Amino acid sequence: MPLSGVSLSADDKAIDASTSARFPGLHPGFPAQCWVVVEQPRGEPHRIRWEPSCGQFVRTALRALGHARCFTGVYGWIAGTGVPPDPHHDVMVLTEASPQPGDILEATICGMFRRGDGDHKFVAVTSEMLAEMASADLHDLPAGKLAEVLRTYPEVGPGEGWDGARDARVHLATRAPTHD
């Protein structure tokens, strides 16, 4: 990704986010629908994070989990639930688009991975993926996409598991984020 006019450290590379200085609030259709602030674009091997002190997304030296586990969607947070590094709800989005850090997507919540540490990962789809599904539920994803999502967290420990749309939406509607 070309980076210009930005001061870089040896380990981090800033990514221009001048058009993303502000993020939207909750989607009017929340919790079924949400605005997603893209943090991790598809195909990026390094972890991207929002750095509020400089108002930019920063490429770190850390490897991106989604990339390492062959997730082809994008990753970010649900707008209106908080902004990193403060508590917020994380979301993996299945989409055919190739948005960049700071872009905003409209998506439909279809499930979640309930983590034992409380840092749950929601799963959402954009409209073109939703059109391929019988319903807006994790278990109605096309088989290949479902396998892709499930392999992002292949080990399911005590108190963890994959939940469908109903449970994910109830969680979003009734619980504030508690994890950064």
Side-chain angles (χ1 to χ4, degrees):
M1 213 177 285
L3 307 169
S4 60
V6 178
S7 175
L8 306 176
S9 71
D11 293 329
D12 293 348
K13 297 179 181 176
I15 296 173
D16 181 25
S18 58
T19 60
S20 302
R22 287 191 251 167
F23 305 113
L26 290 175
H27 189 285
F30 185 82
Q33 293 186 282
C34 63
W35 301 118
V36 174
V37 180
V38 174
E39 189 172 22
Q40 189 71 34
R42 79 171 67 252
E44 172 58 55
H46 292 95
R47 179 76 174 94
I48 306 294
R49 67 178 168 80
W50 169 247
E51 180 53 57
S53 65
C54 66
Q56 295 183 324
F57 288 87
V58 176
R59 182 184 296 121
T60 72
L62 301 173
R63 302 301 287 177
L65 174 71
H67 185 266
R69 295 192 178 157
C70 302
F71 179 67
T72 62
V74 300
Y75 183 85
W77 70 85
I78 298 174
T81 68
V83 176
D86 294 329
H88 60 280
H89 287 302
D90 294 321
V91 61
M92 303 183 296
V93 183
L94 292 160
T95 180
E96 297 300 320
S98 295
Q100 296 304 302
D103 286 351
I104 308 296
L105 297 178
E106 183 176 25
T108 300
I109 298 293
C110 66
M112 69 184 277
F113 181 66
R114 185 178 13 85
R115 288 180 41 154
D117 66 1
D119 189 15
H120 310 307
K121 307 301 178 189
F122 292 87
V123 180
V125 294
T126 54
S127 60
E128 82 277 357
M129 184 65 57
L130 186 58
E132 297 177 26
M133 299 168 61
S135 74
D137 192 83
L138 177 71
H139 305 293
D140 283 330
L141 284 169
K145 292 296 183 184
L146 178 59
E148 180 179 328
V149 168
L150 297 179
R151 84 173 154 252
T152 58
Y153 292 96
E155 297 178 24
V156 178
E160 296 184 333
W162 289 99
D163 296 328
R166 186 185 67 76
D167 290 336
R169 293 171 186 177
V170 166
H171 184 93
L172 286 170
T174 61
R175 295 187 181 104
T178 59
H179 206 282
D180 59 356

